[in-house]
Amino acid sequence: MANEIQSGEQRETVSAPMESFLLEVADAVNTTLDLETLMRRVAELVKRIINYDIFAILLLDGRRQELRVRFQVGHPPEVAERIRVKVGSGITGMAALRGEAVLVNNVLQEPVYISSGAKILSELAVPLIVKGRVIGVIDVEASESSFFSEEHRSVLMLIASRVAIGVENARLYTRVARQAKQLVLLNEISRELTSILNLDQLFERIGELLLRLMDYQMFSILLLNAKRTKLQHRFSLRFKENVQIKRDIALGRGLVGYAAEQNLSVVVPDVTSDDRYIPLNPETMSELCVPLVLKGEVIGVLDLEHTRRNYFTEEHARMVKTLAAQVAISIENARLYEKIERQELRLEKDLLLARELQYRLLPQKVPQSGKAELAARSIPARRIGGDFYDYVPYAGTELTALAIGDVSGKGAPAAIYEALVSGILQSHATEEPGAAEMLAGINLSLAERPIAAQFVSIIYALWDESEMTLRIANSGLPYPYRCGKDGKAELVEIGGLPLGLFQTAEYDEVTFRAVPGDVFLFFSDGIPEAQNEAGVEFGMKRLARVLESHRKGSASEIVDAVFEHVNAFVGNVEAFDDQTVAVLKIKEMKKKK
C-alpha cells in the first residue's frame, strides 16, 4: 500500500498519503483532552480508510478484567450498553489477552466469537497499548466475509498506537478534573459540616451530602460505645428513608466491626461471598465501610451499601475516607457542644441558685433611724457578682454601720470571696470597731487566709445617731460624695489600700458632723466607669450633677435616680462591671406649727 488503501471487496477506495493521514490522527490526539470528542474524531478518520459497518472503542476495567464499550457507531445504544467482554473471550477479548491485533474473515467459523445480534461476518480487533499495558481495544466489523485485509490491520495498528496515548491522556485528564471537582465538593461539604453542632442534624446532613458524591441505597453511621466494645447504630437511611436500627455490632464482627477493629477501609464487591458479612439487609449486594478516625483513634464507622454487585470502587473508598476525617471532627465537635450545653444547663441552674443565695446575703431590711435614712442597691454585671453592701447595727448603741464592697473579678469566684468577706465583717462587728479599725481587722483576717489574685475594696461608714457624726474609712473604692444644704456635691477624699493584699495595713478615718439635709453617696466603680456605645464613661461629674439635682428626694429616690441616669446614658450597652449605690441622708426636721 503506497498511496492508497482499498477495501477487501473494493466497496470503497479512499486515497490519502499515509504521512498526511497519520498527522491528522496525531492532530486529533493532541488537540483534545475530551475523551468523547477524541473517540468520535477517531471513528471519523478510520471511516475514511476502512468503510466499516460497526466501529467501537472498548476500554478495559482492570479490576473486573472485562471490556466495556466506551464509544461506538453501528450498534443500537441499548445493545452497546449491555456489552461486557471478559479478557480472553470473543474477538476483542482475545486481542486484549494477547496484546496483538486479531483479524477474523468469517466470525461464524470462530468458536470464541460473541454475537451482538448484528449480521456481521468480518471483524478486526486491535489492542490499545500504553507502556506495554493494554488499556482497551479498537474493534471494527463488516457484514461481508474477508472484508478486512492485512493492510487494514497494519494501518489500524498504527492508528491504535497513537490513539492509545490520546485515550490515556484524556482519561487521566478526566480523572484529574473529576478529582478536582470532588475535592471542591468535599471542601464545601466539610465547611458545611463544621457549622452543624446538633448530632441528629449532623448525621442527617452527612447522609444527604454523601449522595452528592455517589449513589447508595443504604447508609449508616455507627459509633463505638464508651467501653469501645461494640458499635451502636446512631443513624441509618434505607432507600432515603430514615430507619431505626437497635442492633449493636461487637467490635471485630461483620464488615463494620472489622473496619473499626483494624482501622481499615473495606470494599466488598459481593457480600454474599464474604464470610464477614452480617445479613441485615437482604437487598445488599456490595458494601463500603470506612472507619471514622479522630487523633489516631477509631470512634465509629461510615457504612454504605448498594443493591448492585461491584458498585463501590477504590475511588469511592478514597473519597469517603477523605470525607470521614472531617466527619469524625464534626461528630466530636457536636458531641463536645452537646456536653458543654448540658453542663451549661446545670451551671445555669447553679448560677440561679447562687444568685438567689447571694441575694439572701444582702440585708433584707433597712435599719430604722430617727435622724437618718439609708438605702442601697447592687446589680451584678453577670448572674452573680462581686459587689455587695450591708447594714451593721451595733447592739445596745445608737451606732449603725453602712458597708459597701467590690471584690476583684466577677462571677462565681468573686461571689464566693464576697461571702467570705461578709462573714468576716459580721464577725468583727461584734467587737464594735471604728471605721478604720474595721477595715484593718478585715484586712488582717483576709491576709491570714490568702487567696491568689483576690482582694476587696470596702467603704465603711459608721453613723452615730446620738452625736450626729459619720465616720468614714475607705480601702480602694471611688471617693464618695457629700452634698450639703448649699446643693453642691463635694468629694470626700479618703482612700486606702484594698484589703487582702498586705498583712499589715493602716487606714485613715474622716469624721463629719452631719446636719439635716446632708446626703452621702457611696458607689462602686461600676457606676462612673459605665460606658455608652461611643466608649464614653458616665464619669464622676455626671454623677455629681445627678446627686445635686435629686438631693431633696428620699435616700431610696436618690439611689433610683442614679441608676436611671446611668441606664439612660449607656443605652443598650451591656454593663461590664457590677454596680452598687448606697445613700445615707440626714433627715430634715419638720418645723413645729
Side-chain angles (χ1 to χ4, degrees):
M1 180 177 64
N3 295 321
E4 63 179 28
I5 300 173
Q6 296 180 337
S7 69
E9 297 296 323
Q10 301 297 319
R11 294 172 60 192
E12 182 178 354
T13 300
V14 180
S15 297
M18 180 53 60
E19 185 178 350
S20 175
F21 177 76
L22 291 177
L23 284 174
E24 285 192 67
V25 173
D27 183 66
V29 168
N30 296 329
T31 57
T32 179
L33 287 172
D34 180 74
L35 192 56
E36 193 74 20
T37 302
L38 171 63
M39 292 181 173
R40 182 179 298 107
R41 182 71 180 126
V42 170
E44 293 169 353
L45 288 169
V46 172
K47 185 70 170 178
R48 283 167 49 184
I49 59 171
I50 303 175
N51 192 25
Y52 55 74
D53 289 311
I54 292 176
F55 173 91
I57 295 179
L58 300 89
L59 297 183
L60 179 64
D61 183 336
R63 187 162 64 96
R64 297 181 175 87
Q65 281 298 291
E66 66 180 22
L67 295 160
R68 295 188 181 185
V69 174
R70 181 62 179 80
F71 179 86
Q72 62 85 26
V73 177
H75 284 301
E78 63 275 10
V79 173
E81 176 66 26
R82 292 197 303 267
I83 293 175
R84 302 285 188 276
V85 181
K86 288 290 183 183
V87 173
S89 299
I91 308 302
T92 53
M94 290 301 295
L97 179 64
R98 296 173 183 174
E100 59 185 35
V102 176
L103 192 159
V104 178
N105 290 319
N106 190 340
V107 296
L108 300 180
Q109 297 175 359
E110 180 59 57
V112 298
Y113 175 67
I114 301 173
S115 175
S116 63
K119 293 180 180 181
I120 294 298
L121 289 179
S122 300
E123 186 169 357
L124 172 58
V126 178
L128 297 168
I129 302 174
V130 177
K131 296 180 181 178
R133 178 174 55 90
V134 175
I135 66 167
V137 174
I138 294 180
D139 183 59
V140 289
E141 303 175 30
S143 59
E144 300 177 17
S145 62
S146 301
F147 179 76
F148 301 111
S149 67
E150 289 300 322
E151 291 175 306
H152 290 141
R153 184 210 299 260
S154 299
V155 172
L156 200 57
M157 287 175 63
L158 285 172
I159 294 172
S161 66
R162 289 156 176 77
V163 171
I165 297 172
V167 168
E168 188 69 359
N169 289 341
R171 289 209 297 183
L172 179 61
Y173 173 78
T174 301
R175 190 180 304 119
V176 170
R178 183 171 64 248
Q179 289 174 349
K181 289 181 180 178
Q182 289 169 350
L183 287 174
V184 171
L185 180 57
L186 284 169
N187 187 46
E188 291 176 1
I189 292 173
S190 296
R191 285 203 307 269
E192 181 172 347
L193 292 182
T194 56
S195 66
I196 303 174
L197 293 174
N198 178 281
L199 267 178
D200 292 333
Q201 292 176 5
L202 176 63
F203 293 149
E204 185 174 352
R205 191 61 180 144
I206 291 169
E208 293 171 354
L209 294 173
L210 268 173
L211 284 171
R212 294 173 62 184
L213 291 173
M214 72 189 71
D215 184 27
Y216 64 79
Q217 267 75 55
M218 288 145 278
F219 168 69
S220 293
I221 297 175
L222 301 94
L223 298 182
L224 276 170
N225 65 344
K227 295 181 179 179
R228 301 184 61 79
T229 57
K230 59 185 178 181
L231 289 158
Q232 299 172 320
H233 281 85
R234 291 300 306 273
F235 180 80
S236 293
L237 288 174
R238 292 296 178 266
F239 301 99
K240 301 182 182 179
E241 293 294 328
N242 197 332
V243 295
Q244 299 295 322
I245 299 179
K246 296 183 179 180
R247 180 173 179 176
D248 298 337
I249 299 175
L251 185 65
R253 285 199 68 239
L255 296 174
V256 291
Y258 178 85
E261 184 179 55
Q262 301 298 320
N263 189 8
L264 290 172
S265 297
V266 178
V267 181
V268 180
D270 187 353
V271 297
T272 61
S273 61
D274 196 309
D275 294 337
R276 296 170 298 180
Y277 178 65
I278 300 173
L280 292 179
N281 302 297
E283 307 98 334
T284 298
M285 288 291 108
S286 56
E287 189 164 358
L288 169 61
C289 306
V290 178
L292 296 167
V293 183
L294 183 70
K295 297 178 181 177
E297 190 172 85
V298 176
I299 65 169
V301 176
L302 291 179
D303 180 46
L304 296 100
E305 303 169 48
H306 206 283
T307 56
R308 236 170 57 196
R309 285 184 176 87
N310 300 307
Y311 175 75
F312 296 110
T313 65
E314 292 299 330
E315 186 175 353
H316 287 141
R318 283 193 297 271
M319 282 194 299
V320 178
K321 186 176 181 180
T322 301
L323 182 62
Q326 183 58 58
V327 169
I329 295 171
S330 298
I331 289 175
E332 185 66 10
N333 287 345
R335 290 203 291 197
L336 287 173
Y337 178 80
E338 290 191 350
K339 181 180 179 181
I340 291 170
E341 194 173 35
R342 290 193 298 270
Q343 291 174 342
E344 285 184 344
L345 287 173
R346 288 195 298 269
L347 181 60
E348 185 73 12
K349 292 180 181 179
D350 292 344
L351 287 174
L352 288 173
L353 176 59
R355 185 174 187 179
E356 177 67 17
L357 291 173
Q358 188 175 46
Y359 173 74
R360 295 299 177 189
L361 286 175
L362 295 174
Q364 303 301 301
K365 292 182 179 180
V366 179
Q368 297 300 312
S369 170
K371 298 179 181 178
E373 294 178 7
L374 288 166
R377 186 191 306 169
S378 183
I379 299 176
R382 301 181 183 176
R383 290 298 182 91
I384 52 178
D387 279 12
F388 66 93
Y389 67 90
D390 205 353
Y391 305 120
V392 187
Y394 284 20
T397 72
E398 292 190 72
L399 297 174
T400 299
L402 168 65
I404 74 167
D406 181 1
V407 172
S408 60
K410 300 177 182 63
I416 294 171
Y417 195 72
E418 175 212 319
L420 172 64
V421 173
S422 294
I424 292 172
L425 187 150
Q426 291 295 336
S427 67
H428 280 288
T430 59
E431 302 168 8
E432 301 181 358
E437 291 175 322
M438 174 61 88
L439 296 186
I442 295 173
N443 179 68
L444 182 60
S445 296
L446 290 175
E448 291 173 349
R449 308 169 178 81
I451 299 175
Q454 290 284 29
F455 57 88
V456 62
S457 298
I458 294 177
I459 282 183
Y460 197 78
L462 186 60
W463 167 245
D464 187 332
E465 184 100 340
S466 61
E467 297 292 331
M468 289 286 287
T469 59
L470 182 67
R471 288 180 282 170
I472 302 173
N474 187 2
S475 63
L477 279 182
Y479 293 158
Y481 273 116
R482 179 193 184 189
C483 187
K485 278 191 172 183
D486 60 359
K488 183 173 179 58
E490 296 181 347
L491 286 173
V492 179
E493 296 185 0
I494 184 167
L497 293 172
L499 310 178
L501 291 177
F502 305 99
Q503 191 160 7
T504 56
E506 294 182 358
Y507 295 91
D508 294 329
E509 183 178 296
V510 63
T511 301
F512 290 94
R513 183 163 298 280
V515 297
D518 278 352
V519 178
F520 293 88
L521 175 66
F522 308 95
F523 46 91
S524 65
D525 53 13
I527 294 297
E529 292 177 3
Q531 295 183 358
N532 61 15
E533 291 182 352
V536 179
E537 292 186 349
F538 185 73
M540 297 290 285
K541 290 183 179 179
R542 287 188 180 84
L543 184 58
R545 289 198 293 270
V546 173
L547 174 58
E548 289 167 355
S549 59
H550 293 274
R551 65 185 179 82
K552 292 189 178 295
S554 65
S556 60
E557 288 172 343
I558 296 171
V559 170
D560 290 343
V562 171
F563 278 104
E564 286 171 5
H565 280 268
V566 170
N567 291 337
F569 177 79
V570 301
N572 295 323
V573 177
E574 188 175 348
F576 67 91
D577 200 2
D578 305 328
Q579 297 175 341
T580 300
V581 175
V583 169
L584 185 147
K585 179 176 182 178
I586 311 304
K587 295 179 180 177
E588 298 188 62
M589 300 301 177
K590 294 181 179 179
K591 294 180 180 180
K592 294 182 180 180
K593 293 182 181 180

